[in-house]
Amino acid sequence: MATGKPRSGLERAFEQTGLKQLFDFSRCGDEGFPKPHPDMLLKLMAFAGLNKERVLMIGDTTHDLELAANAGVRSVAVSYGAHPESELRRHEPVKCFQSVDALHTWLTQKRLICKSAALLDGGKAVRFDLPHGHGSAPCFTMRFDGKVFAYVNRCPHRGTELDWNPGEVFDETGLYLICATHGAMFDPQTGLCISGRVKVAGCKRSDRGA
Ligand code: FES
């Protein structure tokens, strides 16, 4: 939540609506530079450990959309709030929605993970969360040999995430996926473990990092 309200106003709104538990982090107008300065969003991204590729700013004012642009992140406009659709569209949001239902449907069914061109062959992966049960599973998508693949980000040895830095899942040759914890290696085209502690620990050849 990035809001121009002072902290006291946001806490009051949270109390009245009972929505506080839906927000992991919040930043208010009296805690830094006001919108459209990118400070609020950059602080929230730092709190959450997210880079700009993983952030989507949803806003109902032109200030919100300018804030997103100034922070280098994508934005979605909603026209059921403060500013009319015609003004919001001038800031070129990814989408503009007229209702909460339409926004919700799009977010849950047509999530944009990243642009295809952002995935370089054997390069950095893009992380995303896949809804699973009552929570979500960490996943990543990457390109190998011209094709895009996506896997659950979990090493079958100990269940840890593969990347040693966010999105760094390839070994130095760019030919294999590698687990940062103990170095098990996986075929990027199948997710099959091909060497390392996964086998030593008793996992079969058919174990996948996905
Ligand atoms: S946790 Fe991946 S090889 Fe041990």
Side-chain angles (χ1 to χ4, degrees):
M1 165 83 75
T3 175
K5 282 184 170 52
R7 174 59 60 184
S8 56
L10 177 61
E11 291 301 328
R12 209 165 31 250
F14 276 152
E15 245 171 61
Q16 288 164 355
T17 59
L19 296 178
K20 186 165 185 171
Q21 78 275 10
L22 297 180
F23 297 89
D24 290 324
F25 304 100
S26 57
R27 198 76 188 159
C28 295
D30 56 356
E31 295 170 333
F33 295 99
K35 298 176 188 178
H37 193 286
D39 176 65
M40 268 187 207
L41 200 44
L42 296 176
K43 289 254 169 43
L44 289 168
M45 288 157 63
F47 291 154
L50 296 173
N51 57 32
K52 60 186 178 184
E53 286 77 25
R54 296 192 66 210
V55 174
L56 184 68
M57 170 84 191
I58 300 169
D60 69 340
T61 70
T62 54
H63 275 1
D64 294 330
L65 307 186
E66 284 176 49
L67 163 69
N70 291 340
V73 310
R74 294 165 296 160
S75 63
V76 161
V78 292
S79 63
Y80 47 83
H83 288 168
E85 185 169 339
S86 55
E87 277 183 42
L88 296 169
R89 282 198 183 275
R90 270 190 227 128
H91 295 271
E92 301 184 342
V94 175
K95 286 272 183 187
C96 185
F97 293 102
Q98 291 78 36
S99 71
V100 176
D101 282 349
L103 171 64
H104 182 256
T105 300
W106 184 77
L107 283 174
T108 53
Q109 294 180 357
K110 298 186 177 179
R111 294 193 322 146
L112 178 67
I113 296 170
C114 68
K115 290 188 177 161
S116 177
L119 298 175
L120 303 181
D121 221 283
K124 208 167 167 182
V126 172
R127 294 167 54 104
F128 63 99
D129 294 318
L130 193 67
H132 180 67
H134 293 299
S136 62
C139 301
F140 64 84
T141 179
M142 52 78 191
R143 187 184 298 278
F144 182 76
D145 200 20
K147 298 193 194 94
V148 172
F149 298 86
Y151 292 111
V152 173
N153 194 0
R154 188 183 70 82
C155 176
H157 179 211
R158 292 275 170 84
T160 58
E161 295 182 3
L162 264 63
D163 34 355
W164 48 276
N165 259 336
E168 304 283 3
V169 294
F170 277 99
D171 72 343
E172 59 198 12
T173 67
L175 296 176
Y176 301 102
L177 302 174
I178 186 165
C179 171
T181 308
H182 302 116
M185 296 175 83
F186 304 88
D187 180 346
Q189 307 202 60
T190 62
L192 292 174
C193 175
I194 54 171
S195 75
R197 288 211 191 182
V198 172
K199 290 167 95 178
V200 173
C203 298
K204 302 186 188 80
R205 187 167 174 77
S206 61
D207 283 336
R208 289 168 188 254

